[in-house]
Amino acid sequence: MANIKSQKKRIRTNEIARVRNKAIRSELKTLVKHVHAAVEAGDKEAASAAATRVYRALDKAAAKGVIHKNQASNRKSGVQNLVNTIA
């Protein structure tokens, strides 16, 4: 454990950020799973609605610095390609 007061605070704030980031990443995975489920069911309307929720969450995560903006863009592209596979 650190002896310096500012370092103790830094440890606490890093832990808070770590837990928050983990929750956001987990939620992103869950939302993408919803898109996969809708695509497998062949429900284009549900897949599009789920994709919209994924886009919003990815943009928020990128804005907060949880993931890089290019990573968010790549993931959105992948989700859209998945939705486009429904005939």
Side-chain angles (χ1 to χ4, degrees):
M1 184 67 184
N3 292 320
I4 299 166
K5 188 175 183 181
S6 61
Q7 190 59 34
K8 289 179 180 178
K9 180 178 180 181
R10 194 73 231 153
I11 290 168
R12 287 195 309 271
T13 57
N14 283 343
E15 178 62 15
I16 291 167
R18 184 188 70 81
V19 170
R20 184 196 70 214
N21 292 345
K22 185 177 179 184
I24 292 171
R25 283 192 194 105
S26 175
E27 180 64 20
L28 289 175
K29 290 177 187 176
T30 303
L31 290 172
V32 172
K33 283 181 187 176
H34 292 315
V35 174
H36 278 276
V39 168
E40 287 179 13
D43 189 353
K44 186 157 181 103
E45 189 173 314
S48 296
T52 303
R53 287 193 297 274
V54 171
Y55 300 153
R56 184 172 166 81
L58 284 168
D59 287 336
K60 281 186 174 185
K64 291 181 180 181
V66 177
I67 60 174
H68 194 273
K69 65 177 185 170
N70 291 349
Q71 174 75 330
S73 180
N74 288 337
R75 289 188 189 192
K76 288 196 296 190
S77 175
V79 166
Q80 186 59 53
N81 286 337
L82 189 67
V83 172
N84 288 343
T85 61
I86 301 175

